[in-house]
């Protein structure tokens, strides 16, 4: 079955370190998204991509970057981790003809 | 800009009782509307969606939602709640065009008491 996987599921890092969260989907979807989930805020969009070599900023993109070198992967990089980036991160993908997002199981990041 | 409001942060209902979770959205055109459910430690699962047509939509697990354009609402309902329905529920609105970024509400945590 097609799926979307995130790794690592849990990570603890220190302030100032670079961190990369991986997202891999086998749906062959062009559209991929990264959200962060924080209590009281729901899910907020960080970055998204409509296809290979395409990346766009979401509402909370500061301090984050993404790259899209193939259809399957959209890694999220925190260039210099900050405590405010402690959160649960969700990757999602969407087929072109439907509105439904398919979500990974999330990556819990703690920045100390 | 799109926005979604879920007025209730927490709701507690008794098992077997009916449920209604509220969702109000702000969007200039006809939106795509969604309800997702998240169990603890899990990703989000789609319950149901509205694109067009019949304003009462049926979803999985016995849930339904009604789109009311005049009230800018898309409330989620279930006639009889089961203990396994305890989870967090998110309403989301998206654009009716290619790309369809979704904007999510803050979520409503449902507790079910036996």
């Amino acid at each position: 079955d097609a799926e979307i996987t995130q790794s690592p599921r849990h990570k603890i890092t220190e302030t100032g370190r670079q961190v990369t969260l991986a997202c891999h989907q086998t749906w062959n979807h062009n559209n991929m998204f990264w959200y962060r989930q924080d209590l009281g805020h729901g899910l907020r969009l960080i970055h998204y991509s409509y296809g290979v070599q395409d990346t766009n900023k979401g509402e909370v993109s500061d301090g984050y970057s993404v790259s899209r070198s193939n259809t399957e992967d959209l890694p999220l990089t925190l260039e210099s981790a900050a405590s405010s980036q402690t959160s649960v991160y969700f990757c999602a993908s969407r087929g072109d003809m439907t509105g439904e997002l398919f979500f990974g199981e999330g990556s819990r990041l703690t920045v100390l | 800009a799109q926005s979604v409001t879920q007025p209730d942060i927490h709701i507690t209902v008794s098992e077997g009782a009916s449920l209604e979770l509220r969702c109000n959205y702000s969007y200039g055109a006809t939106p795509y509307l969604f309800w997702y459910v998240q169990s603890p430690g899990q990703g989000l699962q789609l319950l149901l969606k509205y694109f067009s047509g019949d304003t009462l939509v049926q979803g999985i697990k016995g849930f339904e939602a009604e789109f009311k354009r005049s009230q800018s609402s898309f409330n989620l309902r279930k006639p009889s709640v089961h203990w396994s329905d305890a989870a967090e529920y998110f309403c989301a609105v998206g654009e009716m065009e290619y790309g369809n970024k979704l904007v999510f509400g803050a979520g409503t945590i449902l507790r079910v008491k036996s």
Side-chain angles (χ1 to χ4, degrees):
Chain A
D1 287 343
E3 60 181 2
I4 181 166
T5 55
Q6 295 182 229
S7 63
R9 295 291 312 279
H10 302 272
K11 185 169 181 66
I12 300 173
T13 191
E14 296 176 343
T15 301
R17 290 191 179 269
Q18 183 182 79
V19 176
T20 296
L21 305 179
C23 175
H24 179 80
Q25 53 99 2
T26 59
W27 296 99
N28 201 34
H29 287 163
N30 284 325
N31 305 318
M32 295 184 72
F33 307 82
W34 273 104
Y35 289 86
R36 60 178 289 175
Q37 182 179 24
D38 304 286
L39 191 63
H41 291 280
L43 281 80
R44 293 180 290 176
L45 184 63
I46 306 171
H47 281 287
Y48 58 100
S49 168
Y50 291 157
V52 176
Q53 302 301 329
D54 176 76
T55 61
N56 304 278
K57 294 181 179 181
E59 63 175 309
V60 290
S61 60
D62 288 348
Y64 303 94
S65 63
V66 293
S67 60
R68 189 84 181 274
S69 59
N70 58 55
T71 300
E72 296 79 18
D73 299 290
L74 186 70
L76 177 71
T77 297
L78 288 68
E79 302 293 344
S80 178
S83 58
S84 60
Q85 295 177 308
T86 293
S87 186
V88 180
Y89 292 85
F90 285 97
C91 180
S93 70
R94 172 188 169 274
D96 291 341
M97 299 306 295
T98 72
E100 179 180 357
L101 287 179
F102 295 88
F103 283 86
E105 294 192 332
S107 295
R108 181 177 295 276
L109 176 67
T110 301
V111 183
L112 301 176
Chain B
Q2 304 155 267
S3 67
V4 178
T5 301
Q6 294 181 245
D8 304 304
I9 299 174
H10 296 98
I11 283 185
T12 300
V13 300
S14 298
E15 191 169 16
S18 63
L19 171 69
E20 182 170 33
L21 302 182
R22 295 183 291 164
C23 172
N24 293 97
Y25 67 90
S26 173
Y27 187 65
T30 302
Y32 285 170
L33 293 160
F34 306 81
W35 274 100
Y36 283 84
V37 60
Q38 183 183 31
S39 297
Q42 302 296 313
L44 280 74
Q45 179 185 22
L46 181 70
L47 281 176
L48 47 78
K49 60 187 176 186
Y50 171 78
F51 287 173
S52 64
D54 193 347
T55 57
L56 183 65
V57 294
Q58 303 296 320
I60 62 171
K61 304 184 181 186
F63 285 92
E64 67 178 25
E66 186 171 12
F67 170 55
K68 293 185 177 181
R69 183 187 303 275
S70 62
Q71 299 177 19
S72 297
S73 69
F74 189 57
N75 294 348
L76 182 71
R77 301 194 293 251
K78 187 170 185 178
S80 178
V81 169
H82 188 263
W83 64 266
S84 61
D85 294 323
E88 189 163 15
Y89 292 80
F90 292 93
C91 181
V93 61
E95 302 167 345
M96 288 187 74
E97 62 186 41
Y98 181 76
N100 194 22
K101 304 183 297 294
L102 293 194
V103 174
F104 286 82
T108 297
I109 297 172
L110 172 65
R111 298 189 178 115
V112 180
K113 58 182 181 181
S114 56

